[in-house]
């Protein structure tokens, strides 16, 4: 981590006692949201407070996502609309961060076409924020820093959006180069954080009362591959499980090629590890998986599922699926429906393939029409809806431990939370329970949630 003390001192000197408000908006995945919290942590050191209203901000930072091209277009639209804000208030500073700006052509485009933007910084250059901000405050013109400093992974304070759920990035970047994905190009190669720093951070969060720790990485279960044998991901899970306290450990995203038996052993041995694994399969066709460069076959994947379900037939699995990958045939798609029926996921996160320039898949031929892709998507969702409705019934009559998230948006006087299995649970209760574990007797099942009533509190683990 860069020592920014002197630069922060200069900013504070320049702004004096004048109040300063920042609007920070993060797009995309949880890792990006976590980066946004770190940006806020740095800004807090510079005396900024935060606003949800960009019209009231002295500083706007958009923390962007590059995974889908239409998400990029949306951000350009938002940046364009900020021209007016800048005209009304020339002292407003606008910075663009995140995966989009890690691509040099995007940084160039912003410099050329969006004069309202003061600076851009890449995902590995977040610690350059004070320097970039100081330049902007001095009126030094457009600046960009998209270098890979790789120095932001440790000791970065976060302004956390929840007081009971915390995400902890444990590694950055990805080595996998799935052919549809831009991430390895914008977030660089895998770098694991030091185990001692992660353990200390989690211990601190638990001591502050956090009830759920989400370990994050683009490929979280390859954690430690670059640490020369110092610690693997299953070992890290076991270490974190030893921390005293009442909390759950979750992690995402896992790559099936790195889902070893050692990992499954650790999940089942660690009582604090959630009874849920998000294991993105992406397609049920081995041919498509090969074209995606996923490095596993359908059989490999099903072996992992068997290994898990042989220990607990009810263990919760969720997945990601891409529908309409270039030249996906009817047969390939039927294979996807087959795997969904076979595995019985509790939930799926499915997307119609969208071309991402800069990736290998963007150069592949694609004979499947958009209309056909839409039909396939609807069919997949219909199949999953039937599975969820049926599969969620297995919880009826059981008591589930639930971490209460919020009041329910569906029914007044009700609360919503998630069980260890990552199932949405809705039940009647008082909002004072938000952020607490409660035991809920399950009485009903829908295709998106189960419902129940509060049982004896905190008797179950
Ligand atoms: S594992 Fe594949 S999909 Fe996930 S971030 Fe890496 S390249 Fe992208």
């Amino acid at each position: 981590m860069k020592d920014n003390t002197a630069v922060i001192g200069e900013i504070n000197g320049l702004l004096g006692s004048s109040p300063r408000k920042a609007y920070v908006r993060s797009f995309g995945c949880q890792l990006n949201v976590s980066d946004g919290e770190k940006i806020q942590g740095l800004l807090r050191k510079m005396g900024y407070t935060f606003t949800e209203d960009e019209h009231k901000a002295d500083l706007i930072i958009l923390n962007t996502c590059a995974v889908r091209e239409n998400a990029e277009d949306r951000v350009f639209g938002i940046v364009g609309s900020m021209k007016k804000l800048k005209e009304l208030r020339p002292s407003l500073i606008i910075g663009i961060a995140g995966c989009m700006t890690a691509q040099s052509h995007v940084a160039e485009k912003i410099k050329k076409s969006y004069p309202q933007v003061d600076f851009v910084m890449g995902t590995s250059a977040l610690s350059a924020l004070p320097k970039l901000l100081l330049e902007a405050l001095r009126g030094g013109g457009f600046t960009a820093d998209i270098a890979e400093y790789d120095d932001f992974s440790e000791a970065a304070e976060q302004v956390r959006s929840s007081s009971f759920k915390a995400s902890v990035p444990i590694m950055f970047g990805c080595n996998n180069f799935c052919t549809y994905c831009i991430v390895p190009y914008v977030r660089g190669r895998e770098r694991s954080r030091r185990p001692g720093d992660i353990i200390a951070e989690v211990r601190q969060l638990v001591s502050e009362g956090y009830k759920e720790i989400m370990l994050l990485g683009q490929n979280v279960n390859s954690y430690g591959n670059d640490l020369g044998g110092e610690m693997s991901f299953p070992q890290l899970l076991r270490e974190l499980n030893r921390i005293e306290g009442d909390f759950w450990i979750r992690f995402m995203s896992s790559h099936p090629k790195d889902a070893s038996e050692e990992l499954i052993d650790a999940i089942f041995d660690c009582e604090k590890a959630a009874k849920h694994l998000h294991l993105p399969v992406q397609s049920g066709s081995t041919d498509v998986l090969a074209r995606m460069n996923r490095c596993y076959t359908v059989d490999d994947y099903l072996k992992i599922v068997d290994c898990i379900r042989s220990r607990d037939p009810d263990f919760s699995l969720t997945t990601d699926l891409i529908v309409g990958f270039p030249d996906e045939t009817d047969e390939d798609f039927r294979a996807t429906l087959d795997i969904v029926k076979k595995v019985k996921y509790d939930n799926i996160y499915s997307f119609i393939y969208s071309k991402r320039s800069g990736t290998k898949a963007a150069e592949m031929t694609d004979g499947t029409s958009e209309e056909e892709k839409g039909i396939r998507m609807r069919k997949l969702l219909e199949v999953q809806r039937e599975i969820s409705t049926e599969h969620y019934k297995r919880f009826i009559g059981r008591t589930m431990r639930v971490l209460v998230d919020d009041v329910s948006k569906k029914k007044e006087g009700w609360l919503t939370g998630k069980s260890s299995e990552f199932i949405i649970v809705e039940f009647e209760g008082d909002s004072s329970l938000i952020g607490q574990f409660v035991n809920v007797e399950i009485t009903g099942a829908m295709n998106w949630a189960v419902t129940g009533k509060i049982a004896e509190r905190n008797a179950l683990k």
Side-chain angles (χ1 to χ4, degrees):
M1 178 82 183
K2 255 190 183 69
D3 184 2
N4 276 311
T5 318
V7 182
I8 291 174
E10 278 190 65
I11 290 173
N12 286 329
L14 210 61
L15 291 174
S17 58
S18 56
R20 56 209 89 157
K21 278 203 179 335
Y23 168 85
V24 179
R25 180 169 173 192
S26 292
F27 299 80
C29 69
Q30 292 200 46
L31 262 171
N32 218 37
V33 172
S34 172
D35 280 351
E37 291 180 345
K38 286 178 187 168
I39 289 173
Q40 286 185 284
L42 262 176
L43 291 175
R44 188 168 56 189
K45 281 191 183 165
M46 295 177 239
Y48 280 89
T49 55
F50 302 99
T51 172
E52 302 280 302
D53 181 355
E54 66 263 44
H55 298 92
K56 292 188 180 145
D58 307 295
L59 166 68
I60 293 176
I61 295 186
L62 299 179
N63 185 30
T64 62
C65 167
V67 166
R68 271 166 241 287
E69 235 157 74
N70 54 10
E72 284 201 2
D73 294 343
R74 209 171 123 225
V75 169
F76 280 127
I78 295 170
V79 178
S81 70
M82 285 179 172
K83 195 172 174 194
K84 267 238 142 53
L85 287 180
K86 186 91 169 190
E87 279 167 4
L88 287 172
R89 218 146 39 90
S91 64
L92 171 67
I93 292 171
I94 301 175
I96 315 289
C99 290
M100 264 175 77
T101 52
Q103 307 164 91
S104 52
H105 71 273
V106 173
E108 272 307 309
K109 179 175 170 176
I110 292 173
K111 182 181 177 184
K112 223 167 121 194
S113 313
Y114 298 90
Q116 62 273 38
V117 175
D118 295 281
F119 62 85
V120 299
M121 56 186 186
T123 51
S124 304
L126 297 188
S127 59
L129 172 60
K131 182 192 78 185
L132 294 166
L133 185 54
L134 181 60
E135 283 295 311
L137 286 167
R138 284 177 176 154
F142 179 85
T143 46
D145 197 335
I146 57 172
E148 285 200 12
Y149 292 117
D150 201 14
D151 60 357
F152 202 73
S153 54
E154 311 297 354
E157 259 182 49
Q158 283 173 254
V159 173
R160 297 189 180 274
S161 53
S162 165
S163 58
F164 55 94
K165 286 180 165 186
S167 56
V168 176
I170 62 167
M171 61 184 299
F172 305 90
C174 180
N175 292 351
N176 290 321
F177 290 94
C178 300
T179 55
Y180 51 82
C181 183
I182 195 79
V183 167
Y185 303 95
V186 293
R187 287 204 171 248
R189 298 294 74 73
E190 289 176 3
R191 288 100 63 202
S192 301
R193 285 181 65 193
R194 313 297 317 165
D197 291 315
I198 298 169
I199 294 164
E201 185 176 342
V202 173
R203 188 170 285 127
Q204 176 65 28
L205 289 164
V206 172
S207 75
E208 288 170 19
Y210 281 86
K211 301 278 193 303
E212 183 179 292
I213 306 296
M214 172 71 87
L215 308 176
L216 292 179
Q218 301 293 348
N219 185 13
V220 78
N221 51 343
S222 68
Y223 171 82
N225 286 355
D226 56 336
L227 294 179
E230 188 182 349
M231 191 168 288
S232 66
F233 183 61
Q235 286 168 334
L236 178 68
L237 268 187
R238 289 180 191 277
E239 288 298 323
L240 297 176
N241 191 60
R242 279 190 201 108
I243 295 174
E244 274 190 36
D246 189 12
F247 67 100
W248 284 339
I249 307 167
R250 297 191 188 277
F251 54 89
M252 73 185 295
S253 267
S254 304
H255 196 300
K257 79 172 170 52
D258 298 309
S260 61
E261 211 162 324
E262 194 196 345
L263 171 63
I264 296 166
D265 284 343
I267 295 171
F268 280 92
D269 289 346
C270 296
E271 74 281 359
K272 287 169 183 144
K275 298 184 189 96
H276 163 242
L277 181 62
H278 182 68
L279 198 59
V281 65
Q282 306 298 5
S283 170
S285 156
T286 293
D287 284 351
V288 173
L289 290 174
R291 291 209 301 282
M292 289 176 168
N293 192 32
R294 290 291 289 174
C295 304
Y296 55 86
T297 65
V298 169
D299 280 351
D300 297 333
Y301 186 91
L302 289 174
K303 271 185 203 139
I304 304 165
V305 173
D306 283 348
C307 181
I308 294 169
R309 292 272 168 77
S310 65
R311 295 170 197 220
D312 178 359
D314 284 339
F315 193 88
S316 175
L317 290 168
T318 54
T319 201
D320 295 334
L321 285 158
I322 296 173
V323 173
F325 189 73
D327 279 345
E328 179 193 70
T329 62
D330 277 344
E331 201 183 326
D332 292 326
F333 178 64
R334 273 200 301 278
T336 292
L337 293 181
D338 284 348
I339 201 165
V340 166
K341 289 175 191 165
K342 209 173 275 170
V343 176
K344 288 199 173 66
Y345 295 104
D346 277 305
N347 208 347
I348 61 167
Y349 303 87
S350 47
F351 306 92
I352 292 183
Y353 170 76
S354 81
K355 193 167 162 171
R356 185 66 193 80
S357 46
T359 62
K360 282 207 169 136
E363 289 152 27
M364 293 179 184
T365 57
D366 188 4
T368 317
S369 70
E370 291 307 310
E371 192 192 353
E372 176 57 27
K373 290 179 187 182
I375 294 169
R376 288 179 188 173
M377 183 69 166
R378 286 192 289 282
K379 178 71 191 159
L380 174 64
L381 293 175
E382 187 189 311
V383 166
Q384 179 59 33
R385 248 192 314 272
E386 283 165 19
I387 291 170
S388 297
T389 312
E390 209 34 54
H391 204 40
Y392 281 12
K393 285 183 185 159
R394 74 191 190 280
F395 298 116
I396 295 177
R398 295 191 199 174
T399 300
M400 291 176 108
R401 193 157 202 246
V402 176
L403 180 56
V404 185
D405 279 324
D406 208 342
V407 292
S408 169
K409 289 186 176 58
K410 308 278 175 189
K411 218 169 173 179
E412 205 168 321
W414 280 49
L415 299 172
T416 187
K418 285 216 180 67
S419 70
S420 171
E421 296 84 356
F422 210 58
I423 305 289
I424 298 173
V425 183
E426 301 249 326
F427 56 97
E428 199 174 348
D430 188 85
S431 60
S432 62
L433 293 173
I434 293 171
Q436 308 284 321
F437 284 119
V438 296
N439 292 325
V440 179
E441 284 173 21
I442 306 303
T443 52
M446 299 175 281
N447 62 23
W448 59 275
V450 295
T451 52
K453 58 179 198 297
I454 295 181
E456 188 194 346
R457 280 183 64 188
N458 292 338
L460 273 186
K461 291 280 167 193

